[in-house]
Amino acid sequence: MSSTLETRTSRTSTRSLLPIVALLAAWSAYFITYILAQRPPRLLTRTFDDACYYLKIAQNAANGLGLTFDGMAPTNGFQPLWLYLLVPIIRFVDGSPERIFKLSLVLQVLIMATAAVLLYTGLGKIFSGRVVLVSALFFVPAVFYPSVNGMESSILILCMVVLFLFGLHNRVFEQDRAVTALGFGLLLGLTHLARLDTLFLSIAIGVVCLWAALRDRARAATHLRRLLWIGFGCALVVMPYLIYNYRSFGAFVPISGILKSSFPHVVVSGTLLEKFGVRHLAYLALAALVLIGFLFRRRWGWMLPAHPYVAAALAATALAMLMHATQSTLFMKWAAFRWHFAWYGLVAAVALLAPLEALLASRTAALRKLATPLAILVLAAGTAEIYRKDSRDFGYDWHAAMFDAATWARNHTPKDAVLAMPDAGFVSFFSGRRVVNLDGLVNDLTYQEYLRQGRLGDYLDARGVQYLIVHDFGADLDLARYESAPIKLISYKYETWSEPVIVRQSDEVFRSPVYPYGRHRVMLAIWRRNADPPAARVTEPMPPAGSRPGT
Protein backbone atom coordinates (compact mmCIF):
# COMPACT_ATOMS: atom_id res chain seq x y z
CA MET A 1 0.00 0.00 0.00
CA SER A 2 1.56 3.30 -1.04
CA SER A 3 2.18 6.17 1.36
CA THR A 4 -0.13 8.39 -0.69
CA LEU A 5 -2.98 5.92 -0.35
CA GLU A 6 -2.28 5.51 3.36
CA THR A 7 -2.40 9.30 3.85
CA ARG A 8 -5.63 9.62 1.90
CA THR A 9 -7.24 6.76 3.75
CA SER A 10 -6.11 8.14 7.11
CA ARG A 11 -7.62 11.55 6.32
CA THR A 12 -10.81 9.89 5.19
CA SER A 13 -10.99 7.84 8.38
CA THR A 14 -10.44 10.95 10.52
CA ARG A 15 -13.45 12.63 8.92
CA SER A 16 -15.48 9.42 9.26
CA LEU A 17 -14.59 8.83 12.90
CA LEU A 18 -16.91 11.53 14.23
CA PRO A 19 -20.17 9.98 12.95
CA ILE A 20 -19.01 6.56 14.15
CA VAL A 21 -18.24 7.89 17.64
CA ALA A 22 -21.57 9.74 17.64
CA LEU A 23 -23.34 6.53 16.64
CA LEU A 24 -21.66 4.52 19.40
CA ALA A 25 -22.28 7.25 21.99
CA ALA A 26 -25.96 7.38 21.07
CA TRP A 27 -26.40 3.62 21.30
CA SER A 28 -24.42 3.48 24.56
CA ALA A 29 -26.65 6.18 26.05
CA TYR A 30 -29.72 4.23 24.94
CA PHE A 31 -28.46 0.95 26.42
CA ILE A 32 -27.50 2.57 29.73
CA THR A 33 -30.84 4.38 29.98
CA TYR A 34 -32.68 1.16 29.22
CA ILE A 35 -30.72 -0.75 31.88
CA LEU A 36 -31.24 1.87 34.58
CA ALA A 37 -34.94 2.31 33.80
CA GLN A 38 -35.96 -1.35 33.78
CA ARG A 39 -37.03 -3.40 36.77
CA PRO A 40 -34.76 -6.39 37.45
CA PRO A 41 -37.26 -9.09 36.33
CA ARG A 42 -37.39 -7.45 32.91
CA LEU A 43 -33.59 -7.15 32.73
CA LEU A 44 -33.20 -10.82 33.55
CA THR A 45 -34.79 -11.67 30.19
CA ARG A 46 -31.81 -10.16 28.33
CA THR A 47 -29.21 -11.88 30.49
CA PHE A 48 -28.53 -15.45 31.60
CA ASP A 49 -28.84 -17.24 34.92
CA ASP A 50 -25.11 -17.90 34.67
CA ALA A 51 -24.47 -14.15 34.83
CA CYS A 52 -25.40 -14.27 38.51
CA TYR A 53 -23.01 -17.18 39.04
CA TYR A 54 -20.30 -14.61 38.34
CA LEU A 55 -21.84 -12.00 40.62
CA LYS A 56 -22.37 -14.41 43.52
CA ILE A 57 -18.86 -15.88 43.32
CA ALA A 58 -17.37 -12.38 43.03
CA GLN A 59 -19.46 -11.26 46.00
CA ASN A 60 -18.26 -14.20 48.12
CA ALA A 61 -14.65 -13.53 47.09
CA ALA A 62 -15.01 -9.83 47.92
CA ASN A 63 -16.37 -10.81 51.35
CA GLY A 64 -13.39 -13.03 52.10
CA LEU A 65 -15.05 -16.41 51.48
CA GLY A 66 -12.80 -17.33 48.54
CA LEU A 67 -13.85 -18.59 45.11
CA THR A 68 -17.08 -20.30 46.10
CA PHE A 69 -20.67 -20.04 44.95
CA ASP A 70 -22.51 -21.44 47.95
CA GLY A 71 -20.04 -20.27 50.59
CA MET A 72 -18.99 -23.86 51.30
CA ALA A 73 -17.60 -25.69 48.26
CA PRO A 74 -14.75 -24.10 46.26
CA THR A 75 -15.39 -23.82 42.53
CA ASN A 76 -13.66 -22.88 39.29
CA GLY A 77 -16.86 -22.87 37.23
CA PHE A 78 -16.29 -19.50 35.57
CA GLN A 79 -14.20 -17.72 32.95
CA PRO A 80 -11.58 -16.00 35.12
CA LEU A 81 -11.02 -12.54 33.63
CA TRP A 82 -14.60 -11.27 33.96
CA LEU A 83 -14.79 -12.61 37.50
CA TYR A 84 -11.49 -10.95 38.45
CA LEU A 85 -12.87 -7.66 37.16
CA LEU A 86 -16.10 -7.97 39.16
CA VAL A 87 -14.47 -8.71 42.53
CA PRO A 88 -12.97 -5.25 43.22
CA ILE A 89 -16.10 -3.53 41.89
CA ILE A 90 -18.37 -5.44 44.27
CA ARG A 91 -15.86 -4.97 47.09
CA PHE A 92 -16.13 -1.19 46.90
CA VAL A 93 -19.75 -0.77 45.79
CA ASP A 94 -22.24 -0.66 48.64
CA GLY A 95 -25.65 -1.45 47.25
CA SER A 96 -28.48 -3.89 46.82
CA PRO A 97 -28.18 -6.91 44.52
CA GLU A 98 -30.41 -5.08 42.05
CA ARG A 99 -28.06 -2.09 41.98
CA ILE A 100 -24.96 -4.25 41.56
CA PHE A 101 -26.65 -6.24 38.80
CA LYS A 102 -27.46 -3.07 36.86
CA LEU A 103 -23.96 -1.70 37.46
CA SER A 104 -22.43 -4.86 35.94
CA LEU A 105 -24.50 -4.37 32.78
CA VAL A 106 -23.61 -0.66 32.56
CA LEU A 107 -19.95 -1.67 32.88
CA GLN A 108 -20.42 -4.02 29.93
CA VAL A 109 -21.88 -1.19 27.84
CA LEU A 110 -18.81 0.93 28.57
CA ILE A 111 -16.48 -1.96 27.75
CA MET A 112 -18.24 -2.58 24.43
CA ALA A 113 -18.22 1.12 23.53
CA THR A 114 -14.48 1.25 24.25
CA ALA A 115 -13.86 -1.85 22.14
CA ALA A 116 -15.87 -0.43 19.23
CA VAL A 117 -14.13 2.96 19.26
CA LEU A 118 -10.69 1.33 19.39
CA LEU A 119 -11.57 -1.13 16.62
CA TYR A 120 -12.95 1.38 14.15
CA THR A 121 -10.27 3.96 14.86
CA GLY A 122 -7.72 1.33 13.85
CA LEU A 123 -9.67 0.03 10.86
CA GLY A 124 -10.20 3.60 9.65
CA LYS A 125 -6.49 3.79 8.88
CA ILE A 126 -6.79 0.93 6.40
CA PHE A 127 -10.29 1.07 4.92
CA SER A 128 -12.32 3.93 3.52
CA GLY A 129 -14.68 5.79 5.79
CA ARG A 130 -17.75 4.53 3.92
CA VAL A 131 -17.17 0.84 4.56
CA VAL A 132 -15.97 1.43 8.13
CA LEU A 133 -19.23 3.23 8.87
CA VAL A 134 -21.29 0.39 7.38
CA SER A 135 -19.32 -2.13 9.45
CA ALA A 136 -19.87 -0.06 12.61
CA LEU A 137 -23.60 -0.01 11.92
CA PHE A 138 -23.47 -3.79 11.62
CA PHE A 139 -21.38 -4.08 14.79
CA VAL A 140 -24.01 -2.52 17.07
CA PRO A 141 -26.83 -5.11 16.66
CA ALA A 142 -24.54 -8.04 15.81
CA VAL A 143 -21.85 -7.64 18.49
CA PHE A 144 -22.45 -4.72 20.87
CA TYR A 145 -26.07 -5.43 21.82
CA PRO A 146 -25.85 -9.23 22.37
CA SER A 147 -22.59 -8.89 24.32
CA VAL A 148 -24.27 -6.87 27.08
CA ASN A 149 -25.56 -10.10 28.62
CA GLY A 150 -23.99 -10.35 32.07
CA MET A 151 -21.52 -12.96 30.85
CA GLU A 152 -17.87 -12.74 29.79
CA SER A 153 -18.71 -11.69 26.22
CA SER A 154 -17.88 -7.99 26.54
CA ILE A 155 -14.45 -8.46 28.09
CA LEU A 156 -13.67 -11.14 25.49
CA ILE A 157 -14.55 -8.76 22.65
CA LEU A 158 -12.36 -6.05 24.17
CA CYS A 159 -9.42 -8.46 24.57
CA MET A 160 -9.74 -9.63 20.96
CA VAL A 161 -9.88 -6.05 19.70
CA VAL A 162 -6.81 -5.03 21.71
CA LEU A 163 -4.96 -8.15 20.53
CA PHE A 164 -5.84 -7.39 16.91
CA LEU A 165 -4.81 -3.72 17.14
CA PHE A 166 -1.54 -4.51 18.93
CA GLY A 167 -0.59 -6.85 16.13
CA LEU A 168 -1.68 -4.31 13.53
CA HIS A 169 0.27 -1.44 15.06
CA ASN A 170 3.41 -3.53 15.60
CA ARG A 171 3.14 -5.56 12.35
CA VAL A 172 3.62 -8.68 14.42
CA PHE A 173 3.46 -11.13 11.50
CA GLU A 174 5.97 -9.16 9.44
CA GLN A 175 8.70 -7.98 11.79
CA ASP A 176 11.28 -10.17 13.49
CA ARG A 177 11.11 -8.63 16.95
CA ALA A 178 11.03 -10.87 20.02
CA VAL A 179 9.55 -8.14 22.23
CA THR A 180 6.63 -7.61 19.83
CA ALA A 181 5.91 -11.33 19.53
CA LEU A 182 6.16 -11.74 23.32
CA GLY A 183 3.74 -8.85 23.90
CA PHE A 184 1.32 -10.33 21.38
CA GLY A 185 1.54 -13.66 23.22
CA LEU A 186 0.82 -12.00 26.57
CA LEU A 187 -2.33 -10.39 25.13
CA LEU A 188 -3.30 -13.69 23.56
CA GLY A 189 -3.02 -15.32 26.99
CA LEU A 190 -5.22 -12.59 28.45
CA THR A 191 -7.79 -13.36 25.73
CA HIS A 192 -7.75 -17.01 26.80
CA LEU A 193 -8.48 -15.97 30.38
CA ALA A 194 -11.48 -14.04 29.05
CA ARG A 195 -12.83 -17.29 27.58
CA LEU A 196 -10.83 -20.49 27.66
CA ASP A 197 -12.17 -22.01 24.45
CA THR A 198 -10.33 -19.28 22.54
CA LEU A 199 -7.55 -21.85 22.77
CA PHE A 200 -8.54 -22.49 19.17
CA LEU A 201 -7.30 -18.99 18.35
CA SER A 202 -3.80 -19.97 19.52
CA ILE A 203 -3.94 -23.13 17.43
CA ALA A 204 -5.10 -21.15 14.39
CA ILE A 205 -2.34 -18.55 14.84
CA GLY A 206 0.17 -21.40 14.99
CA VAL A 207 -1.23 -22.85 11.76
CA VAL A 208 -1.00 -19.47 10.01
CA CYS A 209 2.61 -18.99 11.16
CA LEU A 210 3.56 -22.49 10.00
CA TRP A 211 1.82 -21.84 6.67
CA ALA A 212 3.90 -18.67 6.28
CA ALA A 213 7.07 -20.65 7.06
CA LEU A 214 6.23 -23.19 4.35
CA ARG A 215 5.50 -20.48 1.77
CA ASP A 216 8.53 -18.40 2.67
CA ARG A 217 11.34 -20.93 3.07
CA ALA A 218 14.00 -18.23 3.09
CA ARG A 219 12.52 -16.73 6.28
CA ALA A 220 11.15 -19.95 7.78
CA ALA A 221 13.35 -19.63 10.87
CA THR A 222 11.99 -16.12 11.46
CA HIS A 223 8.39 -17.32 11.30
CA LEU A 224 9.09 -20.21 13.66
CA ARG A 225 10.99 -18.01 16.11
CA ARG A 226 8.06 -15.59 16.13
CA LEU A 227 5.67 -18.44 16.87
CA LEU A 228 7.80 -19.62 19.79
CA TRP A 229 7.85 -16.15 21.36
CA ILE A 230 4.08 -15.81 20.95
CA GLY A 231 3.59 -19.22 22.57
CA PHE A 232 5.93 -18.34 25.41
CA GLY A 233 4.10 -15.10 26.16
CA CYS A 234 0.75 -16.84 26.08
CA ALA A 235 1.98 -19.59 28.43
CA LEU A 236 3.27 -17.02 30.94
CA VAL A 237 -0.29 -15.75 31.39
CA VAL A 238 -2.32 -18.96 31.12
CA MET A 239 -0.15 -21.61 32.81
CA PRO A 240 -0.49 -20.30 36.40
CA TYR A 241 -4.28 -20.50 36.07
CA LEU A 242 -4.18 -23.99 34.55
CA ILE A 243 -1.77 -25.24 37.22
CA TYR A 244 -4.03 -23.81 39.93
CA ASN A 245 -6.99 -25.65 38.39
CA TYR A 246 -5.13 -28.93 38.25
CA ARG A 247 -3.76 -28.73 41.78
CA SER A 248 -7.06 -27.58 43.31
CA PHE A 249 -9.62 -29.49 41.24
CA GLY A 250 -7.76 -32.30 39.50
CA ALA A 251 -8.24 -31.00 35.93
CA PHE A 252 -6.90 -28.13 33.85
CA VAL A 253 -10.31 -26.98 32.62
CA PRO A 254 -13.13 -25.58 34.78
CA ILE A 255 -15.75 -27.97 36.08
CA SER A 256 -18.24 -26.67 33.51
CA GLY A 257 -15.91 -27.91 30.77
CA ILE A 258 -15.68 -31.33 32.44
CA LEU A 259 -19.45 -31.66 32.69
CA LYS A 260 -20.37 -30.33 29.25
CA SER A 261 -17.71 -31.94 27.07
CA SER A 262 -17.78 -35.51 25.77
CA PHE A 263 -14.27 -35.29 24.26
CA PRO A 264 -12.85 -37.52 22.82
CA HIS A 265 -16.19 -39.27 22.28
CA VAL A 266 -18.42 -37.74 19.61
CA VAL A 267 -21.88 -36.83 20.88
CA VAL A 268 -23.83 -34.71 18.40
CA SER A 269 -26.73 -33.08 20.26
CA GLY A 270 -29.36 -31.07 18.40
CA THR A 271 -29.24 -29.68 14.89
CA LEU A 272 -26.85 -27.02 13.68
CA LEU A 273 -29.75 -24.59 13.38
CA GLU A 274 -30.78 -25.21 16.99
CA LYS A 275 -27.25 -24.81 18.28
CA PHE A 276 -26.00 -21.83 16.26
CA GLY A 277 -29.07 -20.17 14.80
CA VAL A 278 -29.28 -18.64 11.33
CA ARG A 279 -27.06 -15.68 12.23
CA HIS A 280 -24.10 -17.67 13.54
CA LEU A 281 -24.34 -20.16 10.69
CA ALA A 282 -24.07 -17.20 8.30
CA TYR A 283 -20.98 -16.00 10.18
CA LEU A 284 -19.45 -19.47 9.83
CA ALA A 285 -20.17 -19.45 6.09
CA LEU A 286 -18.39 -16.08 5.87
CA ALA A 287 -15.44 -17.54 7.81
CA ALA A 288 -15.22 -20.38 5.30
CA LEU A 289 -15.11 -17.85 2.44
CA VAL A 290 -12.34 -15.95 4.22
CA LEU A 291 -10.25 -19.12 4.44
CA ILE A 292 -10.90 -19.88 0.78
CA GLY A 293 -9.74 -16.37 -0.08
CA PHE A 294 -6.59 -16.84 2.02
CA LEU A 295 -5.70 -20.14 0.35
CA PHE A 296 -6.69 -19.22 -3.21
CA ARG A 297 -5.89 -15.54 -3.51
CA ARG A 298 -5.71 -15.38 -7.28
CA ARG A 299 -9.40 -16.14 -7.65
CA TRP A 300 -10.88 -15.30 -4.26
CA GLY A 301 -8.48 -12.60 -3.10
CA TRP A 302 -11.26 -9.99 -3.05
CA MET A 303 -12.50 -11.66 0.14
CA LEU A 304 -9.42 -10.43 2.01
CA PRO A 305 -7.92 -6.95 2.45
CA ALA A 306 -4.61 -6.13 0.79
CA HIS A 307 -3.07 -5.35 4.18
CA PRO A 308 -1.00 -8.47 4.98
CA TYR A 309 -1.52 -8.41 8.75
CA VAL A 310 -5.30 -7.94 8.56
CA ALA A 311 -5.49 -10.76 5.99
CA ALA A 312 -3.49 -13.11 8.21
CA ALA A 313 -5.46 -12.12 11.32
CA LEU A 314 -8.75 -12.73 9.54
CA ALA A 315 -7.56 -16.11 8.29
CA ALA A 316 -6.51 -17.12 11.82
CA THR A 317 -9.78 -16.04 13.46
CA ALA A 318 -11.84 -17.62 10.68
CA LEU A 319 -10.00 -20.92 11.18
CA ALA A 320 -10.48 -20.60 14.96
CA MET A 321 -14.20 -20.07 14.43
CA LEU A 322 -14.55 -23.19 12.32
CA MET A 323 -12.56 -25.29 14.79
CA HIS A 324 -14.58 -23.94 17.71
CA ALA A 325 -17.86 -24.64 15.89
CA THR A 326 -16.71 -28.17 15.08
CA GLN A 327 -15.83 -28.81 18.72
CA SER A 328 -19.17 -27.38 19.86
CA THR A 329 -21.04 -29.57 17.38
CA LEU A 330 -19.25 -32.84 18.05
CA PHE A 331 -18.30 -32.71 21.72
CA MET A 332 -20.71 -30.41 23.58
CA LYS A 333 -23.21 -32.69 25.31
CA TRP A 334 -25.51 -29.92 26.49
CA ALA A 335 -25.86 -26.20 27.24
CA ALA A 336 -24.17 -24.74 24.15
CA PHE A 337 -25.64 -21.24 24.42
CA ARG A 338 -25.47 -18.37 21.96
CA TRP A 339 -23.12 -16.31 24.13
CA HIS A 340 -20.45 -18.96 23.49
CA PHE A 341 -20.37 -17.67 19.90
CA ALA A 342 -20.53 -13.91 20.62
CA TRP A 343 -17.11 -13.30 19.09
CA TYR A 344 -18.21 -14.71 15.73
CA GLY A 345 -19.98 -11.42 15.03
CA LEU A 346 -16.75 -9.49 15.65
CA VAL A 347 -14.93 -11.56 13.04
CA ALA A 348 -17.82 -11.08 10.62
CA ALA A 349 -17.80 -7.29 11.13
CA VAL A 350 -14.13 -7.14 10.10
CA ALA A 351 -14.44 -9.79 7.37
CA LEU A 352 -17.16 -7.78 5.62
CA LEU A 353 -14.87 -4.79 5.08
CA ALA A 354 -12.82 -6.11 2.15
CA PRO A 355 -15.79 -7.33 0.05
CA LEU A 356 -17.60 -4.04 0.71
CA GLU A 357 -14.51 -2.08 -0.27
CA ALA A 358 -14.23 -4.08 -3.49
CA LEU A 359 -17.91 -3.52 -4.23
CA LEU A 360 -17.89 0.22 -3.60
CA ALA A 361 -14.60 0.68 -5.47
CA SER A 362 -16.22 -0.70 -8.60
CA ARG A 363 -15.96 1.34 -11.76
CA THR A 364 -19.69 1.06 -12.18
CA ALA A 365 -21.19 4.34 -10.99
CA ALA A 366 -24.36 2.66 -9.73
CA LEU A 367 -22.36 0.41 -7.41
CA ARG A 368 -20.30 3.30 -6.08
CA LYS A 369 -23.51 5.03 -5.03
CA LEU A 370 -24.55 2.07 -2.90
CA ALA A 371 -22.71 3.23 0.23
CA THR A 372 -25.38 5.62 1.54
CA PRO A 373 -28.46 3.40 0.95
CA LEU A 374 -26.52 0.41 2.28
CA ALA A 375 -25.67 2.29 5.48
CA ILE A 376 -29.30 3.37 5.87
CA LEU A 377 -30.48 -0.20 5.32
CA VAL A 378 -28.06 -1.64 7.89
CA LEU A 379 -28.98 1.07 10.42
CA ALA A 380 -32.72 0.48 9.91
CA ALA A 381 -32.38 -3.30 10.16
CA GLY A 382 -30.21 -3.08 13.27
CA THR A 383 -32.52 -0.59 14.97
CA ALA A 384 -35.55 -2.74 14.16
CA GLU A 385 -33.82 -5.83 15.58
CA ILE A 386 -32.90 -4.07 18.83
CA TYR A 387 -36.40 -2.58 19.17
CA ARG A 388 -37.99 -5.97 18.54
CA LYS A 389 -35.93 -7.61 21.26
CA ASP A 390 -36.29 -4.81 23.80
CA SER A 391 -40.05 -4.48 23.34
CA ARG A 392 -40.93 -8.19 23.52
CA ASP A 393 -43.59 -9.09 26.06
CA PHE A 394 -42.52 -12.30 27.74
CA GLY A 395 -45.48 -12.34 30.08
CA TYR A 396 -44.89 -14.31 33.24
CA ASP A 397 -41.95 -16.61 32.53
CA TRP A 398 -39.22 -18.42 34.41
CA HIS A 399 -37.16 -15.22 34.79
CA ALA A 400 -40.03 -13.60 36.71
CA ALA A 401 -40.54 -16.80 38.70
CA MET A 402 -36.87 -16.88 39.66
CA PHE A 403 -36.95 -13.26 40.84
CA ASP A 404 -40.15 -13.86 42.80
CA ALA A 405 -38.57 -16.90 44.47
CA ALA A 406 -35.46 -14.86 45.35
CA THR A 407 -37.60 -12.08 46.81
CA TRP A 408 -39.60 -14.59 48.84
CA ALA A 409 -36.43 -16.20 50.20
CA ARG A 410 -34.95 -12.82 51.11
CA ASN A 411 -38.10 -11.84 53.01
CA HIS A 412 -39.13 -15.16 54.60
CA THR A 413 -36.00 -17.17 55.41
CA PRO A 414 -33.27 -16.61 58.02
CA LYS A 415 -30.10 -14.94 56.77
CA ASP A 416 -28.15 -18.14 57.45
CA ALA A 417 -30.65 -20.37 55.61
CA VAL A 418 -29.30 -22.81 53.03
CA LEU A 419 -31.29 -23.45 49.85
CA ALA A 420 -30.54 -25.78 46.94
CA MET A 421 -31.64 -25.84 43.31
CA PRO A 422 -30.43 -26.31 39.73
CA ASP A 423 -29.88 -23.09 37.73
CA ALA A 424 -29.23 -21.29 40.99
CA GLY A 425 -27.71 -18.00 39.80
CA PHE A 426 -30.63 -15.57 39.92
CA VAL A 427 -32.12 -16.92 43.15
CA SER A 428 -28.77 -17.07 44.94
CA PHE A 429 -27.66 -13.54 44.08
CA PHE A 430 -30.95 -11.71 44.53
CA SER A 431 -32.01 -13.59 47.67
CA GLY A 432 -28.75 -12.95 49.51
CA ARG A 433 -28.85 -16.52 50.79
CA ARG A 434 -26.52 -19.47 50.42
CA VAL A 435 -27.83 -21.59 47.57
CA VAL A 436 -26.25 -24.94 46.71
CA ASN A 437 -26.03 -25.41 42.95
CA LEU A 438 -27.53 -28.76 41.90
CA ASP A 439 -26.72 -28.80 38.17
CA GLY A 440 -23.06 -28.93 39.19
CA LEU A 441 -21.66 -26.12 37.04
CA VAL A 442 -20.45 -24.05 40.01
CA ASN A 443 -20.17 -26.89 42.47
CA ASP A 444 -17.26 -29.30 42.99
CA LEU A 445 -16.65 -32.85 41.83
CA THR A 446 -17.58 -34.20 45.26
CA TYR A 447 -21.19 -33.50 44.35
CA GLN A 448 -20.84 -35.63 41.20
CA GLU A 449 -19.63 -38.51 43.38
CA TYR A 450 -22.69 -38.26 45.60
CA LEU A 451 -24.96 -38.36 42.56
CA ARG A 452 -23.12 -41.36 41.11
CA GLN A 453 -23.43 -43.21 44.39
CA GLY A 454 -27.17 -42.50 44.62
CA ARG A 455 -26.80 -40.34 47.72
CA LEU A 456 -28.40 -37.02 46.79
CA GLY A 457 -30.28 -36.94 50.11
CA ASP A 458 -27.03 -37.44 52.01
CA TYR A 459 -25.44 -34.57 50.09
CA LEU A 460 -28.31 -32.22 50.92
CA ASP A 461 -28.01 -33.25 54.58
CA ALA A 462 -24.25 -32.73 54.61
CA ARG A 463 -24.67 -29.22 53.19
CA GLY A 464 -27.37 -28.36 55.71
CA VAL A 465 -29.98 -27.68 53.01
CA GLN A 466 -33.24 -26.43 54.54
CA TYR A 467 -35.14 -25.50 51.36
CA LEU A 468 -35.28 -27.29 48.02
CA ILE A 469 -36.26 -25.37 44.88
CA VAL A 470 -37.26 -26.67 41.44
CA HIS A 471 -38.04 -24.18 38.68
CA ASP A 472 -39.48 -26.61 36.12
CA PHE A 473 -41.74 -28.54 38.47
CA GLY A 474 -44.92 -30.22 37.30
CA ALA A 475 -44.24 -31.04 33.64
CA ASP A 476 -45.78 -34.50 34.11
CA LEU A 477 -47.83 -33.84 37.22
CA ASP A 478 -51.29 -32.60 38.16
CA LEU A 479 -50.22 -29.57 40.16
CA ALA A 480 -53.65 -29.17 41.74
CA ARG A 481 -53.72 -32.66 43.21
CA TYR A 482 -50.19 -33.90 43.87
CA GLU A 483 -49.41 -35.07 47.39
CA SER A 484 -45.79 -36.03 46.78
CA ALA A 485 -43.38 -36.17 43.88
CA PRO A 486 -39.88 -37.57 43.23
CA ILE A 487 -37.08 -35.14 42.36
CA LYS A 488 -34.12 -36.71 40.54
CA LEU A 489 -30.98 -35.00 39.31
CA ILE A 490 -28.43 -36.11 36.73
CA SER A 491 -24.69 -36.36 37.13
CA TYR A 492 -23.40 -34.84 33.90
CA LYS A 493 -19.96 -36.25 34.62
CA TYR A 494 -21.09 -39.89 34.92
CA GLU A 495 -24.36 -39.68 32.92
CA THR A 496 -26.29 -41.31 35.77
CA TRP A 497 -29.37 -40.22 37.71
CA SER A 498 -29.50 -39.80 41.45
CA GLU A 499 -31.96 -41.61 43.65
CA PRO A 500 -35.20 -39.61 44.01
CA VAL A 501 -35.70 -37.12 46.80
CA ILE A 502 -39.39 -37.02 47.71
CA VAL A 503 -41.06 -33.63 48.09
CA ARG A 504 -44.54 -33.30 49.62
CA GLN A 505 -47.23 -30.76 49.01
CA SER A 506 -47.57 -30.31 52.76
CA ASP A 507 -43.96 -28.99 52.86
CA GLU A 508 -44.48 -26.53 50.02
CA VAL A 509 -43.86 -22.94 51.20
CA PHE A 510 -43.82 -21.06 47.89
CA ARG A 511 -45.42 -21.62 44.52
CA SER A 512 -45.14 -19.35 41.49
CA PRO A 513 -47.87 -18.89 38.90
CA VAL A 514 -47.78 -21.43 36.09
CA TYR A 515 -45.64 -20.41 33.10
CA PRO A 516 -44.48 -21.96 29.81
CA TYR A 517 -41.14 -23.79 29.85
CA GLY A 518 -40.30 -25.50 26.59
CA ARG A 519 -43.34 -27.52 25.57
CA HIS A 520 -44.75 -27.72 29.10
CA ARG A 521 -46.64 -25.57 31.57
CA VAL A 522 -44.73 -25.65 34.84
CA MET A 523 -44.19 -23.72 38.05
CA LEU A 524 -41.40 -22.92 40.47
CA ALA A 525 -41.87 -24.40 43.91
CA ILE A 526 -39.99 -24.21 47.21
CA TRP A 527 -40.26 -26.93 49.84
CA ARG A 528 -39.12 -26.69 53.42
CA ARG A 529 -36.76 -29.59 53.95
CA ASN A 530 -35.19 -29.07 57.34
CA ALA A 531 -35.56 -26.27 59.83
CA ASP A 532 -32.46 -27.12 61.89
CA PRO A 533 -29.41 -24.85 61.73
CA PRO A 534 -27.04 -25.90 58.90
CA ALA A 535 -24.21 -26.86 61.28
CA ALA A 536 -26.40 -29.39 63.02
CA ARG A 537 -26.86 -31.34 59.81
CA VAL A 538 -23.19 -31.90 58.93
CA THR A 539 -23.11 -35.42 60.31
CA GLU A 540 -20.75 -37.29 57.99
CA PRO A 541 -17.63 -36.62 55.95
CA MET A 542 -17.74 -36.22 52.18
CA PRO A 543 -16.86 -39.36 50.22
CA PRO A 544 -13.47 -39.22 48.51
CA ALA A 545 -13.43 -38.80 44.75
CA GLY A 546 -13.73 -42.15 43.01
CA SER A 547 -15.18 -43.96 46.01
CA ARG A 548 -18.23 -46.21 45.73
CA PRO A 549 -21.17 -46.85 48.04
CA GLY A 550 -20.13 -48.90 51.05
CA THR A 551 -16.40 -48.28 50.63
Side-chain angles (χ1 to χ4, degrees), residues 143-165:
V143 188
F144 195 139
Y145 179 81
S147 295
V148 182
N149 55 20
M151 301 301 295
E152 68 279 350
S153 306
S154 60
I155 198 68
L156 171 61
I157 297 298
L158 178 60
C159 285
M160 293 188 72
V161 167
V162 171
L163 176 68
F164 170 76
L165 294 178

Side-chain angles (χ1 to χ4, degrees), residues 55-90:
L55 291 173
K56 187 66 176 185
I57 296 169
Q59 186 179 62
N60 284 334
N63 291 332
L65 298 178
L67 296 175
T68 175
F69 176 76
D70 58 18
M72 295 176 278
T75 186
N76 64 348
F78 51 83
Q79 304 294 337
L81 194 58
W82 177 234
L83 183 83
Y84 297 162
L85 184 60
L86 288 174
V87 171
I89 294 173
I90 293 178

